[in-house]
Amino acid sequence: NCIMDPGAAALATWLETNRVLTTLHLSENQIGDDGASALAEGFRASACLASIHLSENPIGDSGAAALAQGLKGNRSLSTIHLEGIPTGPNGRAALADVATENPAVVVHQ
């Protein structure tokens, strides 16, 4: 699998109307900041996605910050896996801040 940013953007559009999928595994798919930002918009609107795996993707600070914003606005997600992403201190801080606004979400970094 190597869906990259364009594939992530297509999935994000679908996630906005998703009423079935609860777990999405996208680890090691070359998804960068643009794809992460698109996915964040998609899962912000998703009512049933509970877990997303984005480990080992080249997501930097701006992608991590977008994911954090999406997590803050979503009430169905309970787990996001981000192990092995090259996010810097600003991105990690944004993700750590999610726990204060949406304590139901567990962020694995």
Side-chain angles (χ1 to χ4, degrees):
N1 296 338
C2 194
I3 67 166
M4 302 166 70
D5 289 338
L11 272 172
T13 300
W14 178 80
L15 281 174
E16 292 177 11
T17 58
N18 168 50
R19 300 292 177 252
V20 179
L21 187 72
T22 59
T23 302
L24 185 59
H25 289 269
L26 295 173
S27 297
E28 298 183 53
N29 269 286
Q30 294 303 310
I31 297 168
D33 290 335
D34 291 341
S37 296
L39 286 169
E41 288 298 316
F43 66 63
R44 183 182 310 198
S46 177
C48 66
L49 187 65
S51 177
I52 188 166
H53 297 254
L54 291 169
S55 299
E56 304 299 332
N57 281 296
I59 299 169
D61 280 344
S62 65
L67 290 171
Q69 284 302 113
L71 290 168
K72 290 175 184 177
N74 180 286
R75 294 298 174 226
S76 67
L77 266 167
S78 60
T79 307
I80 185 166
H81 290 270
L82 299 167
E83 297 93 90
I85 65 170
T87 300
N90 293 337
R92 297 231 182 256
L95 290 166
D97 192 42
V98 169
T100 60
E101 292 193 41
N102 190 351
V105 177
V106 176
V107 179
H108 298 276
Q109 295 187 63

